[in-house]
Amino acid sequence: MTRCARKETVDFFETQYQGSPSWVINKVQPCVFEALELIQSNGRALDVGCGVGEVVNYLAERGFEAHGVDISTTAIAQAKNDATVRNLTSVFHEQDAFSLEHMGLTFDLIVDVGLFHLMSDDERQDYSVQLDKISSQNTLLLLMGFDVNQRPNKPRGINPSVIEPYFKPGWDMKVIQEVQYVAASKMDDVKGWLFQLQKN
């Protein structure tokens, strides 16, 4: 049976996006922006857990066929509105990360900023299978999240030892980088990791 996002997860993010979530900083995470600036291609890109669409709309401006996926109706509406205001061709899909194959598309670039680091072990396994199914040879995956055990009641986090089992075989690790995860309030900034993997 195909996994779905848990109702409590959908409800949590819907409530958060009706307010001002700490992770919405109205720009691409700085370390992710720096990494994306170095990518020259302008193929098809997907941001999984796109929120209000900062990454997707940035990639659309760059000339990518840019898609975003999120479970929050409110976040998707905000992302679409921003794209309309900026006259961008971004495409947004209201769905979870466990049904990506049903989009019927493969992607040259996949971005995950703060989604994988939330998931249980079983969810991570199912999600990594979905990433395989929407990737082709040389697809680049940028994955960023909190380091493990940052603060009570925060995401589980990730580090190199956490990531490796879910992307071997099939992916080559290209970059492992310690970074700062920037929040709307400086006091919520935390240590994080940015990984760049390429499908082989």
Side-chain angles (χ1 to χ4, degrees), residues 4-38:
C4 296
R6 290 171 290 176
K7 183 179 184 301
E8 57 267 32
T9 302
V10 177
D11 291 346
F12 171 80
F13 282 103
E14 187 60 26
T15 300
Q16 288 292 307
Y17 281 114
Q18 289 171 6
S20 301
S22 63
W23 59 85
V24 173
I25 60 173
N26 298 315
K27 62 180 180 180
V28 180
Q29 281 284 328
C31 65
V32 175
F33 179 81
E34 290 173 8
L36 291 173
E37 283 282 282
L38 298 176

Side-chain angles (χ1 to χ4, degrees), residues 104-122:
L105 300 170
T106 56
F107 296 90
D108 304 294
L109 171 66
I110 302 171
V111 181
D112 174 337
V113 180
L115 181 59
F116 189 93
H117 79 168
L118 295 167
M119 293 179 176
S120 69
D121 290 347
D122 288 345

Side-chain angles (χ1 to χ4, degrees), residues 18-185:
Q18 289 171 6
S20 301
S22 63
W23 59 85
V24 173
I25 60 173
N26 298 315
K27 62 180 180 180
V28 180
Q29 281 284 328
C31 65
V32 175
F33 179 81
E34 290 173 8
L36 291 173
E37 283 282 282
L38 298 176
I39 296 172
Q40 299 301 314
S41 84
N42 58 350
R44 183 183 294 137
L46 174 67
D47 181 14
V48 191
C50 67
V52 298
E54 300 102 330
V55 169
V56 182
N57 289 333
Y58 159 74
L59 290 172
E61 284 184 327
R62 285 273 311 276
F64 284 83
E65 179 189 325
H67 295 251
V69 165
D70 204 277
I71 57 175
S72 168
T73 302
T74 298
I76 289 292
Q78 292 178 27
K80 287 180 176 178
N81 182 68
D82 184 42
T84 298
V85 168
R86 294 159 65 180
N87 197 30
L88 299 173
T89 58
S90 311
V91 181
F92 294 97
H93 311 258
E94 186 181 332
Q95 67 178 79
D96 64 36
F98 307 115
S99 58
L100 299 175
E101 64 183 305
H102 299 314
M103 299 170 70
L105 300 170
T106 56
F107 296 90
D108 304 294
L109 171 66
I110 302 171
V111 181
D112 174 337
V113 180
L115 181 59
F116 189 93
H117 79 168
L118 295 167
M119 293 179 176
S120 69
D121 290 347
D122 288 345
E123 288 173 331
R124 288 173 174 179
Q125 183 59 51
D126 290 346
Y127 176 42
S128 66
V129 169
Q130 287 296 303
L131 293 179
D132 273 338
K133 290 183 176 181
I134 63 169
S135 300
S136 54
Q137 189 173 21
N138 297 323
T139 291
L140 183 64
L141 169 64
L142 268 64
L143 196 157
M144 183 198 177
F146 288 9
D147 192 14
V148 295
N149 302 320
Q150 280 295 294
R151 294 179 190 169
N153 303 316
K154 292 292 185 183
R156 299 177 66 203
I158 53 176
N159 61 26
S161 65
V162 167
I163 290 295
E164 187 173 356
Y166 297 99
F167 295 97
K168 264 190 145 180
W171 297 82
D172 297 322
M173 184 69 75
K174 297 296 185 181
V175 175
I176 300 174
Q177 184 180 359
E178 289 190 59
V179 296
Q180 187 83 344
Y181 195 112
V182 176
S185 170

